């Protein structure tokens, strides 16, 4: 009879509504369970297909065409469970498969099954991180994971604390604001008005959040100086020192330097140790933006690339990049304990009462700029446990091997040309030179080359078989930037991409 | 045989690892499917229990005790699938049931099943919102939902745009920064240095993010003035105008006023229309923080409480509060199209190329301060479709009815005393006066009363049967603040709380 009842529900999803669920109907457990299991079947199909290399990475449609393929409107009356399942199917068909082994478009990719399960559980336990009161276990878990990350950065056991933020841009903003508070604690109360003119420094190839954060906090983009880089994309320390001196001579107050560990386009690692020397000499806060490169700290073979990171006062590290976490998972780490609280504390008495029936030092809310804050730790914790330290070491070293494999392969393949000869990380930047451009004067070639990558990309999206991004750089016309970060990717997938670009180029 | 194989996997989860999944093992589909289905069973049990009123809302342990109940460490070697399932069970046991019908602790609660399913799908399709290229359908969906919200705010069909932000604090920060950019577009480049001294205004009872954002952007907390409120917690417009004039006379530049629609503690609605008159008179940007109260716009019966919101230049509205979305779901809406782009655009050429093979006006990245940005729209879209406009109207009106029911009930129950006599919204603030404090002088009573709420709360958490928050206010000792926002809550649940507090008080 129970099974009859379940079949009955399954066959009548078109007559059932969300109001029939257990949450508003005490007899609605079967309806709830059956709907969710049907929903999970749809998600499982998606995951299966995403991992099938014969399936498309993207089913591309221009916006106006896509709007014809799906009905997005909010109806007057609620939709049946059946229609909601169909809505979900319709949406999934139109999603880009970022977990597909041939998606090389971004510096995140892959769908870690454990991490995803963790995110499902995060949704189910829907809470906010601000107090131990309502996020007891997640508060402790965040503390544990932050300690692990701090140990990997290399700070002492009595140093460091951290917090998850909504993305690397926010983490970099935290760095800037903590540094400002450290230098001028009165700024929090009274603003920048009576302060000297602050300025900060970052590499020409750093993430744009350095400038965005400078604009945000009121010091202005123009007072965030871009320092020249060498030909592999690393900040030139001598140029940094020169600029600092120049600023001081101009009456400005240099207070913050961002060194990047893994730049967005070239994957370059700024020489942190040398930059740290300069920061110490001039008493400037060193922040390391390791949003992308931080994961290398998990590899004993490659962590030397971040040598000196332990001298930083603060660090951004996004597990949703190299560590393969789902978005969003982004840590801000700071060496000096207590400063995060001093910087952000607003002491709202309706949340952070001091007379609570437990040790309120476990409440993280007053250390965060945000009030409500997502639980970003459970998925990472579960995934990290599934791999262990050893699993990450193997995974990351393998990705580095794949990058070398790809680099060697395209160096030997006719028509390909490297933008940076010897990539330092998992970003490989290259041009594909179509046959008709190979034997023409260099200047003409460069002029015409700028239009090639967008054309190939356009065709690639139409074919839908793979995805890789492109961009220009000063004096360098549009080139492709391949990112290898999905553990599902194999040499065959890389070979496929190499051949696909050739095929498309021959076609246009 | 297939079924044998599946049983075999199920029985051997202790020998299987995440590396056995389809993502890294092409024959690993069954392992993937079976693990995820087992995982979902655990989540289903959690949901079922959460909706069982005889189950606890919280199984409270002090931090040091909780650390003994669970092993949080990251191991050297990866854990088996079996151990990971057990880890998840262990964690869930220690979670606060924020979806329990008797959780009244926060201005979010409830677990909407459709919304949760949407969030599971969000995880599965793991992407970032910055470009149409990798979030095509979600970019369109966000546009659709923003338009819906803008229509509800009441701006014209050629006005308004919006973006999801990580929480109401961030949305309020967006408002402040857009207003600053509107008044002083050069600030983005050159900072606050050559600007007049900016100041802004907010009600005494507004959310602390108004001050936090002022500190962040460099104008300082002290230059964010708190305006007096009447006894129901509403900003007094005359006091606002006085303060504006005073600031101007002191050579300051008033540029921003926050009116709150639904204050955090009392649920008060500032008189937006009158505040808008003042803002127009002095040419000041009006931002309405409707993070909590915005949902009332869905009720034709109650939307009058936000009368005048259509005159705001920007609005914060968190669907993760009254609309019952899972965390995080927080919209920033702005009336003047284009300003969001002008304020935040950094034109990073590696993401927002203008020569892409599609209409790049659909890329939202340059309108956001964040770079990578979570997909917060799918869950809301799916939930909203499940309810329709009608469903929300019913749901929200019912919550308002419950609030009236509760208010009337405690007014008639011995020992209870209202803090604000006539609550305007879903926040009900009250004291419980234990018998021994009822007939003593007022001053002594007030002095002793401050210790009562924490004591009752402590016992309540130990019992674990329900949860409600408390806080003090100027001259008002600790009082309880009940929030009714979970559609699962019934009159019986409210009666339960009333009796539970009496029982606990009798016990201490």
């Amino acid at each position: 009879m129970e099974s009859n009842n379940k079949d009955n529900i399954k066959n009548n999803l078109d007559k059932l509504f969300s109001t029939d669920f257990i949450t508003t109907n005490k007899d609605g457990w079967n309806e709830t369970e059956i709907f969710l299991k049907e929903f999970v079947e749809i998600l499982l199909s998606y995951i299966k297909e995403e991992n099938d290399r014969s399936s498309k990475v993207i089913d591309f449609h221009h916006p106006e065409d896509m709007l014809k393929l799906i009905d997005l409107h909010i109806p007057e009356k609620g939709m049946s469970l059946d229609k909601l399942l169909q809505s979900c199917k319709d949406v999934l068909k139109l999603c880009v498969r970022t977990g597909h082994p041939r998606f090389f478009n971004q510096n995140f990719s892959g769908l870690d099954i454990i991490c995803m399960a963790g995110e499902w559980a995060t949704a189910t336990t829907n809470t906010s991180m601000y107090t131990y009161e309502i996020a007891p276990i997640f508060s402790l878990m965040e503390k544990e994971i932050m300690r692990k990350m701090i140990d990997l950065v290399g700070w002492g056991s009595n140093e460091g604390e951290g917090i998850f933020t909504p993305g690397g841009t926010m983490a970099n903003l935290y760095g800037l604001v903590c540094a400002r508070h450290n230098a001028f604690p009165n700024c929090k109360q009274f603003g920048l008005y009576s302060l000297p003119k602050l300025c900060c420094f970052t590499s020409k190839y750093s993430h744009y959040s350095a400038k965005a954060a400078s604009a945000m906090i009121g010091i202005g983009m123009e007072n965030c100086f871009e320092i020249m880089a060498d030909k592999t994309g690393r900040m030139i320390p001598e140029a940094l020192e020169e600029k600092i001196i120049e600023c001081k001579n101009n009456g400005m107050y240099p207070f913050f330097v961002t060194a990047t560990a893994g730049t967005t386009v070239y994957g370059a690692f700024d020489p942190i140790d040398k930059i740290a020397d300069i920061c110490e000499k001039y008493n400037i806060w060193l922040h390391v933006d390791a949003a992308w490169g931080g994961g290398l700290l998990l590899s004993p073979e490659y962590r030397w690339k971040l040598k000196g990171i332990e001298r930083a006062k603060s660090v951004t590290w996004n597990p949703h990049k190299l560590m393969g976490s789902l978005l969003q998972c982004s840590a801000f780490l700071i060496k000096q304990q207590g400063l995060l609280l001093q910087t952000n504390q607003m002491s709202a008495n309706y949340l952070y009462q001091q007379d609570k029936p437990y040790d309120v030092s476990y409440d993280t809310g007053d250390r965060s700029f945000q009030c409500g804050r997502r639980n970003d730790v459970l998925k990472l914790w579960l995934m990290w446990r599934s791999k262990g330290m050893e699993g990450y070491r193997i995974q990351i070293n393998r990705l580095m091997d794949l990058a070398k494999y790809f680099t060697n392969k395209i160096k030997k393949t006719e028509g390909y040309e490297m933008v940076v000869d010897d990539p330092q990380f998992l970003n490989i930047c290259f041009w594909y030179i179509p046959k008709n451009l190979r034997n023409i004067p260099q200047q003409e070639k460069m002029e015409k080359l700028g239009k090639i990558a967008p054309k190939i990309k356009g065709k690639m999206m139409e074919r839908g078989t793979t995805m890789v991004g492109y961009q220009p750089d000063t004096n360098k016309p549009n080139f492709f930037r391949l990112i290898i970060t999905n553990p599902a990717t194999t040499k065959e997938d890389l070979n496929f991409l190499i051949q696909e670009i050739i095929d498309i180029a021959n076609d246009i």
Side-chain angles (χ1 to χ4, degrees), chain A residues 279-308:
Chain A
C279 287
E280 279 169 18
K281 183 167 168 191
Y282 295 95
N283 192 25
I284 297 175
W285 183 286
L286 172 61
H287 174 75
V288 175
D289 179 356
W292 171 216
L296 282 194
L297 295 171
L298 290 156
S299 161
E301 287 74 16
Y302 290 105
R303 60 167 291 139
W304 61 267
K305 285 182 182 278
L306 294 97
K307 195 171 167 294

Side-chain angles (χ1 to χ4, degrees), chain A residues 220-403:
Chain A
M221 288 165 67
E222 299 288 323
N223 298 317
C224 173
F225 294 99
E226 287 185 351
I227 306 302
M228 295 268 290
D230 66 20
K231 63 182 184 182
T232 63
R234 287 180 294 214
M235 190 199 286
I236 300 170
E238 294 75 18
L240 171 66
E241 184 162 16
E242 249 172 56
K243 197 72 193 173
I244 290 171
I245 294 169
E246 184 191 318
C247 285
K248 284 171 94 79
N249 289 341
N250 289 337
M252 299 181 88
Y253 189 102
F255 82 113
F256 189 80
V257 169
T258 300
T260 306
T263 61
T264 314
V265 176
Y266 296 121
F269 288 81
D270 288 342
I272 303 177
D273 250 336
K274 286 189 184 163
I275 295 171
D277 288 342
I278 297 169
C279 287
E280 279 169 18
K281 183 167 168 191
Y282 295 95
N283 192 25
I284 297 175
W285 183 286
L286 172 61
H287 174 75
V288 175
D289 179 356
W292 171 216
L296 282 194
L297 295 171
L298 290 156
S299 161
E301 287 74 16
Y302 290 105
R303 60 167 291 139
W304 61 267
K305 285 182 182 278
L306 294 97
K307 195 171 167 294
I309 193 170
E310 71 285 355
R311 298 171 68 188
K313 303 264 195 201
S314 57
V315 169
T316 292
W317 175 358
N318 288 4
H320 72 224
K321 293 192 161 85
L322 181 52
M323 288 177 77
S325 167
L326 270 64
L327 287 156
Q328 61 187 44
C329 193
S330 186
F332 172 70
L333 308 171
I334 181 167
K335 191 173 184 180
Q336 186 184 325
Q337 293 179 347
L339 194 56
L340 201 50
L341 181 69
Q342 290 159 35
T343 304
N344 289 318
Q345 186 169 40
M346 292 285 143
S347 302
N349 63 9
Y350 51 85
L351 255 182
Y352 314 122
Q353 308 91 302
Q354 299 303 301
D355 57 2
K356 283 188 185 177
Y358 60 86
D359 178 357
V360 295
S361 74
Y362 287 88
D363 288 353
T364 62
D366 243 0
R367 268 168 248 170
S368 163
F369 171 69
Q370 301 176 267
C371 176
R373 186 164 63 91
R374 260 197 119 246
N375 168 8
D376 289 326
V377 69
L378 175 58
K379 57 178 176 275
L380 175 60
W381 178 78
L382 214 56
M383 176 173 62
W384 205 334
R385 275 163 92 86
S386 77
K387 297 177 196 288
M389 298 303 288
E390 187 189 59
Y392 262 125
R393 175 184 182 171
I394 293 169
Q395 176 177 320
I396 288 167
N397 288 352
R398 183 179 162 276
L399 292 172
M400 293 294 279
D401 288 345
L402 280 180

Side-chain angles (χ1 to χ4, degrees), chain A residues 38 187 272 433 493:
Chain A
E38 291 289 310
C187 181
I272 303 177
I433 327 273
D493 295 318

Side-chain angles (χ1 to χ4, degrees), chain A residues 21-230:
Chain A
F21 290 148
I22 184 80
T23 39
T24 42
N25 171 10
K26 69 180 171 43
D27 300 319
W29 176 248
N30 285 342
E31 287 76 359
T32 312
E33 185 178 9
I34 287 164
F35 172 81
L36 285 174
K37 286 190 170 172
E38 291 289 310
F39 197 91
V40 165
E41 288 296 337
I42 296 172
L43 300 182
L44 289 174
S45 300
Y46 183 88
I47 297 166
K48 192 174 184 182
E49 196 191 293
E50 180 171 72
N51 282 284
D52 171 2
R53 285 174 171 77
S54 70
S55 77
K56 283 185 164 192
V57 176
I58 180 175
D59 179 20
F60 181 74
H61 303 279
H62 287 283
E64 57 276 23
D65 298 331
M66 190 169 281
L67 284 170
K68 288 177 203 147
L69 294 173
I70 192 163
D71 161 34
L72 289 174
H73 94 290
I74 299 297
E76 187 52 35
K77 298 209 176 265
M79 286 178 164
S80 68
L81 300 185
D82 193 46
K83 284 223 176 82
L84 293 167
L85 290 170
Q86 190 55 51
S87 288
C88 181
K89 280 185 204 164
D90 294 344
V91 166
L92 292 183
K93 249 187 256 168
L94 299 169
C95 285
V96 173
R97 270 64 176 160
T98 59
H100 195 291
R102 292 175 183 167
F103 175 84
F104 305 107
N105 212 67
Q106 241 67 36
N107 54 13
F108 73 89
S109 71
L111 182 71
D112 187 277
I113 300 296
I114 298 289
C115 192
M116 183 193 71
E119 190 73 335
W120 290 5
T122 300
T124 305
T125 58
N126 185 42
T127 197
S128 174
M129 295 296 287
Y130 35 48
T131 61
Y132 179 84
E133 190 173 328
I134 64 159
I137 183 66
F138 301 128
S139 302
L140 297 177
M141 200 181 272
E142 188 172 69
K143 214 169 167 157
E144 175 80 16
I145 290 292
M146 288 299 159
R147 177 44 51 193
K148 192 80 199 167
M149 295 178 87
I150 286 164
D151 289 347
L152 285 162
V153 163
W155 292 330
S157 58
N158 290 320
E159 291 175 325
E161 59 179 325
I163 201 162
F164 282 107
T165 68
T169 296
M170 282 302 292
N172 287 338
L173 176 66
Y174 266 70
L176 201 61
V177 175
C178 286
R180 183 180 68 179
H181 186 80
N182 185 56
F184 300 99
N186 284 340
C187 181
K188 182 176 171 184
Q189 251 73 37
F190 305 109
L192 290 168
Y193 300 107
S194 51
L195 267 53
K197 197 167 174 185
L198 303 180
C199 60
C200 57
F201 310 86
T202 190
S203 134
K204 182 187 167 194
Y205 290 115
S206 71
H207 189 264
Y208 69 86
S209 51
K211 290 221 162 223
S214 303
M216 174 70 83
I217 74 162
I219 69 175
M221 288 165 67
E222 299 288 323
N223 298 317
C224 173
F225 294 99
E226 287 185 351
I227 306 302
M228 295 268 290
D230 66 20

